[in-house]
Coordinates of all heavy atoms in Angstrom, one line a residue:
M1 N 117.8 165.2 112.3 CA 117.0 165.4 113.4 C 115.6 165.0 113.2 O 114.6 165.8 113.4 CB 117.0 166.9 113.7 CG 116.9 167.4 115.2 SD 118.4 167.1 116.2 CE 119.7 167.7 115.3
A2 N 115.4 163.9 112.6 CA 114.1 163.3 112.4 C 113.2 164.2 111.6 O 112.0 164.4 111.9 CB 113.4 162.9 113.8
G3 N 113.7 164.9 110.5 CA 112.9 165.7 109.7 C 112.7 167.1 110.1 O 111.9 167.9 109.6
H4 N 113.2 167.5 111.3 CA 113.1 168.8 111.9 C 114.3 169.6 111.6 O 115.4 169.2 111.7 CB 112.9 168.8 113.3 CG 111.8 167.9 113.9 ND1 110.4 168.3 113.5 CD2 111.7 166.8 114.6 CE1 109.6 167.4 114.1 NE2 110.4 166.6 114.8
S5 N 114.1 170.9 111.1 CA 115.3 171.7 111.0 C 115.7 172.4 112.3 O 116.8 172.6 112.4 CB 115.1 172.7 109.8 OG 113.8 173.5 110.2
T6 N 114.8 172.5 113.1 CA 115.0 173.0 114.4 C 114.9 171.9 115.4 O 113.9 171.1 115.4 CB 113.9 174.1 114.9 OG1 113.9 175.1 113.9 CG2 114.1 174.6 116.2
P7 N 115.9 171.6 116.2 CA 115.9 170.5 117.2 C 114.8 170.6 118.1 O 114.3 171.6 118.6 CB 117.2 170.6 118.0 CG 118.0 171.4 117.1 CD 117.1 172.3 116.3
H8 N 114.1 169.4 118.3 CA 113.0 169.3 119.2 C 113.4 168.4 120.4 O 114.1 167.4 120.3 CB 111.8 168.6 118.6 CG 111.0 169.4 117.6 ND1 111.7 170.1 116.6 CD2 109.7 169.7 117.4 CE1 110.8 170.7 115.9 NE2 109.6 170.4 116.4
F9 N 113.1 168.9 121.6 CA 113.5 168.1 122.9 C 112.2 167.8 123.6 O 111.2 168.5 123.7 CB 114.4 168.9 123.7 CG 115.7 169.3 123.0 CD1 115.9 170.5 122.5 CD2 116.6 168.4 122.8 CE1 117.0 170.9 121.7 CE2 117.9 168.6 122.1 CZ 118.1 169.9 121.5
Q10 N 112.3 166.7 124.3 CA 111.2 166.2 125.2 C 111.8 165.8 126.6 O 112.9 165.7 126.7 CB 110.5 165.0 124.6 CG 111.4 163.8 124.3 CD 111.7 162.8 125.4 OE1 111.0 162.9 126.5 NE2 112.7 162.1 125.4
N11 N 110.9 165.8 127.6 CA 111.3 165.6 128.9 C 110.3 164.5 129.6 O 109.7 164.9 130.7 CB 111.3 166.9 129.7 CG 112.0 166.7 131.1 OD1 112.5 165.7 131.4 ND2 112.0 167.8 131.8
D12 N 110.3 163.3 129.0 CA 109.4 162.2 129.6 C 109.8 161.9 131.0 O 109.0 161.6 131.9 CB 109.5 161.0 128.8 CG 108.5 161.0 127.6 OD1 107.6 161.8 127.6 OD2 108.7 160.2 126.7
A13 N 111.1 162.0 131.3 CA 111.6 161.6 132.7 C 111.4 162.7 133.7 O 111.6 162.4 134.9 CB 113.1 161.2 132.6
G14 N 111.0 163.8 133.3 CA 110.8 164.9 134.4 C 112.1 165.5 134.9 O 112.1 165.8 136.1
H15 N 113.1 165.6 134.1 CA 114.4 166.1 134.6 C 114.2 167.6 134.9 O 113.4 168.4 134.2 CB 115.4 166.1 133.5 CG 115.8 164.7 133.0 ND1 116.4 163.8 133.9 CD2 115.5 164.1 131.8 CE1 116.5 162.6 133.1 NE2 115.9 162.8 132.0
A16 N 114.9 168.1 136.0 CA 114.7 169.6 136.3 C 115.5 170.4 135.2 O 115.0 171.5 134.9 CB 115.4 169.8 137.7
A17 N 116.6 169.9 134.7 CA 117.3 170.6 133.7 C 117.8 169.7 132.7 O 118.2 168.5 132.9 CB 118.5 171.3 134.4
I18 N 118.0 170.2 131.4 CA 118.6 169.4 130.3 C 119.6 170.3 129.6 O 119.3 171.5 129.3 CB 117.4 169.0 129.3 CG1 116.4 168.1 130.0 CG2 118.0 168.3 128.1 CD1 115.2 167.8 129.2
D19 N 120.7 169.8 129.5 CA 121.8 170.5 128.7 C 121.6 170.1 127.3 O 121.5 168.9 126.9 CB 123.3 170.1 129.2 CG 123.4 170.4 130.7 OD1 122.8 171.4 131.1 OD2 124.2 169.7 131.4
I20 N 121.8 171.2 126.4 CA 121.6 171.0 124.9 C 122.7 171.8 124.2 O 123.3 172.7 124.8 CB 120.2 171.4 124.5 CG1 120.0 172.9 124.8 CG2 119.2 170.5 125.0 CD1 118.6 173.4 124.3
G21 N 123.0 171.5 122.9 CA 124.0 172.1 122.2 C 123.5 173.1 121.2 O 124.3 173.5 120.3
V22 N 122.3 173.7 121.4 CA 121.8 174.7 120.6 C 121.1 175.8 121.4 O 120.7 175.5 122.6 CB 120.7 174.1 119.6 CG1 121.4 173.2 118.5 CG2 119.6 173.4 120.3
R23 N 120.9 177.0 120.8 CA 120.2 178.0 121.6 C 118.9 178.3 121.0 O 118.1 179.0 121.7 CB 121.0 179.4 121.6 CG 122.3 179.3 122.4 CD 122.8 180.7 122.6 NE 123.7 180.9 123.8 CZ 125.0 180.9 123.7 NH1 125.6 180.9 122.5 NH2 125.7 181.0 124.7
E24 N 118.5 177.7 119.9 CA 117.2 177.8 119.3 C 116.6 176.4 119.1 O 117.3 175.5 118.5 CB 117.2 178.6 118.0 CG 117.7 180.0 118.1 CD 117.7 180.6 116.8 OE1 117.1 180.1 115.8 OE2 118.4 181.7 116.7
F25 N 115.4 176.1 119.7 CA 114.8 174.7 119.7 C 113.4 174.8 120.0 O 112.8 175.9 120.3 CB 115.6 173.9 120.7 CG 115.4 174.4 122.1 CD1 114.6 174.0 123.0 CD2 116.3 175.4 122.6 CE1 114.4 174.4 124.3 CE2 116.2 175.9 123.8 CZ 115.2 175.4 124.7
M26 N 112.8 173.6 119.9 CA 111.4 173.4 120.3 C 111.3 172.5 121.5 O 112.0 171.5 121.5 CB 110.6 172.8 119.2 CG 110.6 173.6 117.9 SD 109.4 175.0 117.9 CE 107.9 174.1 117.8
C27 N 110.4 172.8 122.5 CA 110.2 171.9 123.6 C 108.8 171.4 123.3 O 107.9 172.1 123.1 CB 110.2 172.7 124.9 SG 109.9 171.6 126.3
V28 N 108.7 170.1 123.5 CA 107.4 169.4 123.3 C 106.8 168.9 124.6 O 105.7 168.3 124.7 CB 107.4 168.3 122.3 CG1 108.0 168.8 121.0 CG2 108.2 167.1 122.8
G29 N 107.5 169.0 125.7 CA 107.1 168.5 127.0 C 107.4 167.1 127.0 O 108.5 166.6 126.7
A30 N 106.4 166.2 127.4 CA 106.6 164.8 127.3 C 106.2 164.3 125.9 O 105.7 165.1 125.1 CB 105.7 164.1 128.4
N31 N 106.5 163.1 125.6 CA 106.1 162.5 124.2 C 104.6 162.4 124.2 O 103.9 162.3 125.2 CB 106.7 161.1 124.1 CG 108.2 161.2 123.6 OD1 108.4 162.0 122.7 ND2 109.0 160.5 124.3
P32 N 104.1 162.6 123.0 CA 102.6 162.5 122.8 C 102.1 161.1 123.3 O 102.8 160.1 123.2 CB 102.5 162.6 121.2 CG 103.7 163.3 120.8 CD 104.8 162.9 121.8
P33 N 100.9 161.1 123.9 CA 100.0 162.1 123.8 C 100.0 163.0 125.1 O 99.1 163.8 125.4 CB 98.7 161.3 123.9 CG 99.0 160.1 124.8 CD 100.5 159.7 124.4
L34 N 101.1 163.0 125.8 CA 101.2 163.8 127.1 C 102.0 165.1 126.8 O 102.5 165.7 127.8 CB 101.9 163.0 128.1 CG 101.2 161.6 128.6 CD1 102.0 160.9 129.5 CD2 99.7 162.0 129.1
D35 N 102.1 165.4 125.5 CA 102.9 166.6 125.2 C 102.2 167.9 125.5 O 100.9 167.9 125.8 CB 103.4 166.6 123.7 CG 102.2 166.4 122.7 OD1 101.1 165.9 123.1 OD2 102.4 166.7 121.5
H36 N 102.9 169.0 125.4 CA 102.2 170.3 125.5 C 102.3 171.0 124.1 O 103.0 170.4 123.3 CB 102.7 171.2 126.7 CG 104.2 171.5 126.7 ND1 104.8 172.1 125.5 CD2 105.2 171.3 127.5 CE1 106.1 172.3 125.8 NE2 106.4 171.8 127.0
P37 N 101.8 172.2 123.9 CA 102.0 172.8 122.7 C 103.4 172.9 122.3 O 104.2 173.3 123.3 CB 101.3 174.2 122.9 CG 100.3 173.9 123.9 CD 100.8 172.9 124.8
H38 N 103.9 172.6 121.2 CA 105.2 172.6 120.8 C 105.7 174.1 120.7 O 105.3 174.8 119.8 CB 105.5 171.9 119.5 CG 105.1 170.4 119.7 ND1 105.4 169.5 118.7 CD2 104.5 169.7 120.6 CE1 105.0 168.3 119.1 NE2 104.4 168.4 120.2
V39 N 106.5 174.5 121.7 CA 106.9 175.9 121.8 C 108.3 176.2 121.3 O 109.2 175.4 121.7 CB 106.7 176.5 123.3 CG1 107.4 175.6 124.2 CG2 106.9 177.9 123.4
Y40 N 108.5 177.2 120.5 CA 109.8 177.6 120.0 C 110.5 178.4 121.1 O 109.8 179.3 121.6 CB 109.7 178.4 118.7 CG 111.0 179.0 118.2 CD1 111.8 178.1 117.5 CD2 111.3 180.3 118.4 CE1 113.0 178.7 117.1 CE2 112.5 180.8 117.9 CZ 113.3 180.0 117.2 OH 114.6 180.5 116.8
I41 N 111.7 178.1 121.4 CA 112.4 178.8 122.4 C 113.7 179.3 121.8 O 114.4 178.4 121.2 CB 112.7 177.9 123.7 CG1 111.4 177.5 124.3 CG2 113.6 178.6 124.7 CD1 111.5 176.5 125.4
D42 N 114.0 180.5 122.1 CA 115.3 181.2 121.6 C 116.0 181.7 122.8 O 115.5 182.6 123.4 CB 115.0 182.2 120.5 CG 116.2 182.9 119.9 OD1 117.3 182.6 120.5 OD2 116.0 183.6 118.9
M43 N 117.2 181.2 123.1 CA 118.0 181.7 124.3 C 118.6 183.1 124.0 O 119.0 183.8 125.0 CB 119.0 180.6 124.7 CG 118.5 179.4 125.2 SD 119.9 178.4 125.8 CE 119.1 176.9 126.0
G44 N 118.7 183.4 122.8 CA 119.4 184.7 122.4 C 120.8 184.6 122.9 O 121.6 183.5 122.6
D45 N 121.4 185.5 123.7 CA 122.7 185.5 124.2 C 122.7 184.8 125.6 O 123.9 184.6 126.0 CB 123.2 186.9 124.3 CG 123.5 187.6 123.0 OD1 123.7 186.9 122.0 OD2 123.3 188.8 122.9
D46 N 121.7 184.4 126.0 CA 121.7 183.7 127.4 C 122.1 182.3 127.2 O 122.1 181.7 126.1 CB 120.3 183.7 128.0 CG 119.7 185.1 128.3 OD1 120.6 186.0 128.6 OD2 118.6 185.3 128.3
D47 N 122.5 181.7 128.3 CA 123.0 180.3 128.4 C 121.9 179.3 128.8 O 122.1 178.1 129.0 CB 124.3 180.2 129.1 CG 125.5 180.8 128.4 OD1 125.4 180.7 127.1 OD2 126.4 181.1 129.1
Q48 N 120.7 179.8 129.3 CA 119.7 179.0 129.8 C 118.4 179.7 129.6 O 118.2 180.8 129.5 CB 119.9 178.6 131.2 CG 119.9 179.8 132.2 CD 120.3 179.3 133.6 OE1 120.9 178.4 133.8 NE2 120.0 180.2 134.6
K49 N 117.4 178.8 129.5 CA 116.0 179.3 129.4 C 115.0 178.2 129.9 O 115.2 177.0 129.8 CB 115.7 179.5 127.9 CG 114.5 180.4 127.5 CD 114.9 181.9 127.8 CE 114.0 182.8 126.9 NZ 114.4 184.1 126.9
V50 N 113.9 178.7 130.5 CA 112.9 177.8 131.1 C 111.8 177.7 130.1 O 111.2 178.7 129.6 CB 112.4 178.3 132.4 CG1 111.3 177.5 133.0 CG2 113.6 178.3 133.4
C51 N 111.2 176.5 129.9 CA 110.0 176.4 129.0 C 108.9 176.9 129.8 O 108.7 176.6 130.9 CB 109.8 174.8 128.7 SG 108.3 174.6 127.8
P52 N 108.0 177.8 129.2 CA 106.9 178.3 129.9 C 105.8 177.3 130.1 O 104.9 177.6 131.0 CB 106.4 179.4 128.9 CG 106.9 179.0 127.6 CD 108.2 178.3 127.8
Y53 N 105.8 176.2 129.5 CA 104.7 175.2 129.7 C 105.1 174.1 130.8 O 104.3 173.8 131.7 CB 104.4 174.5 128.4 CG 103.5 175.3 127.4 CD1 104.2 176.0 126.5 CD2 102.2 175.5 127.7 CE1 103.4 176.9 125.6 CE2 101.4 176.2 126.8 CZ 102.0 176.9 125.8 OH 101.3 177.7 124.9
C54 N 106.2 173.6 130.7 CA 106.5 172.4 131.5 C 107.6 172.8 132.5 O 108.0 171.9 133.4 CB 107.0 171.2 130.7 SG 108.6 171.5 129.8
S55 N 108.2 174.0 132.5 CA 109.2 174.5 133.5 C 110.5 173.8 133.4 O 111.3 173.8 134.4 CB 108.6 174.5 134.9 OG 107.5 175.3 134.9
T56 N 110.8 173.0 132.3 CA 112.1 172.4 132.1 C 113.1 173.6 131.9 O 112.9 174.4 131.0 CB 112.1 171.5 130.9 OG1 111.2 170.4 131.2 CG2 113.5 170.8 130.7
L57 N 114.3 173.5 132.6 CA 115.3 174.4 132.4 C 116.2 173.9 131.4 O 116.8 172.8 131.5 CB 116.1 174.6 133.8 CG 117.4 175.4 133.6 CD1 117.0 176.9 133.2 CD2 118.1 175.4 134.9
Y58 N 116.5 174.5 130.3 CA 117.3 174.2 129.2 C 118.6 175.0 129.3 O 118.5 176.2 129.4 CB 116.7 174.3 127.9 CG 115.6 173.4 127.5 CD1 114.3 173.6 127.8 CD2 116.0 172.1 127.1 CE1 113.3 172.7 127.5 CE2 115.0 171.1 126.7 CZ 113.6 171.5 127.1 OH 112.7 170.5 126.7
R59 N 119.7 174.3 129.4 CA 121.0 174.9 129.5 C 121.9 174.7 128.3 O 122.0 173.6 127.9 CB 121.7 174.5 130.7 CG 121.0 174.8 132.0 CD 121.8 174.3 133.2 NE 122.0 172.9 133.2 CZ 122.0 172.1 134.3 NH1 121.9 172.7 135.5 NH2 122.2 170.8 134.2
Y60 N 122.5 175.8 127.7 CA 123.3 175.7 126.5 C 124.7 175.2 126.9 O 125.3 175.8 127.8 CB 123.4 177.0 125.8 CG 124.4 176.9 124.7 CD1 124.2 176.2 123.5 CD2 125.6 177.8 124.7 CE1 125.0 176.2 122.4 CE2 126.5 177.6 123.7 CZ 126.2 176.9 122.6 OH 127.1 176.9 121.5
D61 N 125.1 174.1 126.2 CA 126.5 173.6 126.5 C 127.1 173.4 125.1 O 126.8 172.6 124.3 CB 126.5 172.2 127.1 CG 127.8 171.6 127.5 OD1 128.9 172.1 126.8 OD2 127.9 170.7 128.3
P62 N 128.1 174.3 124.7 CA 128.7 174.4 123.4 C 129.5 173.0 123.1 O 129.7 172.7 122.0 CB 129.7 175.5 123.4 CG 129.9 175.8 124.8 CD 128.7 175.3 125.6
A63 N 129.7 172.2 124.1 CA 130.4 170.9 123.9 C 129.5 169.9 123.3 O 129.9 168.9 122.8 CB 131.0 170.5 125.2
L64 N 128.2 170.1 123.3 CA 127.2 169.2 122.9 C 126.8 169.5 121.5 O 126.7 170.7 121.0 CB 125.9 169.2 123.7 CG 126.1 168.7 125.1 CD1 124.8 168.9 125.9 CD2 126.4 167.2 125.2
K65 N 126.5 168.5 120.6 CA 126.1 168.7 119.2 C 124.6 169.0 119.3 O 123.9 168.7 120.3 CB 126.3 167.4 118.4 CG 127.9 167.2 118.2 CD 128.1 166.0 117.4 CE 129.6 165.7 117.3 NZ 129.9 164.4 116.7
A66 N 124.0 169.4 118.2 CA 122.6 169.8 118.1 C 121.7 168.6 118.5 O 120.6 168.8 119.1 CB 122.2 170.3 116.7
G67 N 122.1 167.4 118.2 CA 121.2 166.2 118.5 C 121.6 165.5 119.8 O 121.2 164.4 120.0
E68 N 122.4 166.1 120.7 CA 122.7 165.5 121.9 C 122.2 166.3 123.1 O 121.9 167.4 123.0 CB 124.3 165.6 122.0 CG 125.1 164.7 121.1 CD 126.6 164.9 121.2 OE1 127.1 166.0 121.5 OE2 127.2 163.9 121.1
T69 N 121.9 165.5 124.1 CA 121.4 166.1 125.4 C 122.1 165.4 126.6 O 122.6 164.4 126.5 CB 119.8 165.8 125.5 OG1 119.6 164.4 125.6 CG2 119.1 166.5 124.4
R70 N 122.1 166.1 127.6 CA 122.6 165.6 128.9 C 121.6 165.9 129.9 O 121.3 167.1 130.2 CB 123.9 166.2 129.3 CG 124.6 165.5 130.5 CD 125.9 166.2 130.9 NE 126.9 166.4 129.8 CZ 127.2 167.6 129.3 NH1 126.8 168.7 129.9 NH2 128.0 167.7 128.4
P71 N 120.9 165.0 130.5 CA 121.1 163.5 130.3 C 120.7 163.1 128.9 O 119.9 163.8 128.3 CB 120.1 162.9 131.4 CG 119.1 164.0 131.8 CD 119.8 165.3 131.5
A72 N 121.1 161.9 128.5 CA 120.9 161.5 127.2 C 119.4 161.0 127.0 O 118.7 160.8 128.0 CB 121.7 160.2 126.9
G73 N 118.9 161.0 125.8 CA 117.6 160.5 125.5 C 116.5 161.6 125.5 O 115.3 161.2 125.5
C74 N 116.8 162.9 125.5 CA 115.8 164.0 125.6 C 115.5 164.5 124.2 O 114.8 165.5 124.1 CB 116.2 165.0 126.6 SG 116.3 164.4 128.3
I75 N 116.1 164.1 123.1 CA 115.8 164.5 121.8 C 114.5 163.9 121.4 O 114.2 162.7 121.7 CB 116.9 164.2 120.8 CG1 116.7 164.9 119.5 CG2 117.0 162.7 120.5 CD1 117.2 166.3 119.5
Y76 N 113.6 164.7 120.9 CA 112.3 164.2 120.4 C 112.4 163.7 119.0 O 112.8 164.4 118.1 CB 111.3 165.3 120.5 CG 109.9 165.0 119.9 CD1 109.1 164.1 120.5 CD2 109.5 165.6 118.7 CE1 107.8 163.8 119.9 CE2 108.3 165.3 118.1 CZ 107.4 164.4 118.8 OH 106.2 164.1 118.2
I77 N 111.9 162.5 118.7 CA 111.9 161.9 117.5 C 110.4 161.7 117.0 O 109.7 161.0 117.7 CB 112.6 160.6 117.4 CG1 114.1 160.8 117.8 CG2 112.5 159.9 116.0 CD1 114.9 159.6 118.0
D78 N 110.0 162.4 116.0 CA 108.6 162.3 115.5 C 108.4 161.0 114.8 O 108.9 160.9 113.7 CB 108.2 163.6 114.6 CG 106.8 163.5 114.3 OD1 106.0 162.7 114.6 OD2 106.4 164.5 113.6
K79 N 107.7 160.1 115.4 CA 107.5 158.8 114.8 C 106.6 158.8 113.6 O 106.5 158.0 112.8 CB 107.0 157.8 115.9 CG 108.1 157.6 116.9 CD 107.8 156.4 117.8 CE 108.8 156.2 118.9 NZ 109.7 157.0 119.4
A80 N 105.8 159.8 113.5 CA 104.8 160.0 112.3 C 105.5 160.5 111.1 O 105.0 160.4 110.0 CB 103.7 160.9 112.8
A81 N 106.7 161.2 111.2 CA 107.4 161.8 110.1 C 108.2 160.8 109.2 O 108.4 159.7 109.7 CB 108.4 162.7 110.7

């Protein structure tokens, strides 16, 4: 996961919802320099959670791996790492 132990997700395309395969993750908003503070989100026992900064709805899908998203391409890759 590009040097991250916790998956990081981004939403450059402005999707209303992103399906992910983990319940604990970081949301960065859009890619830098348009990102917001990188916020840790823990869904707990819930299957969805909204980012308090960008309002992206993240939905847990156990069929997805930690580095997969639906729609595709929402995993954040830190190019500086």
Side-chain angles (χ1 to χ4, degrees):
M1 212 77 41
H4 302 297
S5 59
T6 301
H8 287 51
F9 300 103
Q10 57 81 20
N11 190 4
D12 276 340
H15 302 292
I18 299 173
D19 297 329
I20 58 176
V22 295
R23 285 197 164 102
E24 296 179 19
F25 60 95
M26 299 284 286
C27 179
V28 304
N31 278 312
L34 303 175
D35 55 337
H36 60 55
H38 298 189
V39 60
Y40 176 79
I41 298 174
D42 183 349
M43 290 185 193
D45 292 332
D46 296 332
D47 287 333
Q48 60 185 25
K49 198 76 154 188
V50 174
C51 175
Y53 286 96
C54 65
S55 300
T56 300
L57 173 65
Y58 287 96
R59 298 183 297 216
Y60 175 67
D61 183 343
L64 296 172
K65 295 179 183 170
E68 294 180 317
T69 63
R70 187 181 314 115
C74 296
I75 192 82
Y76 171 68
I77 299 170
D78 186 357
K79 300 198 180 12

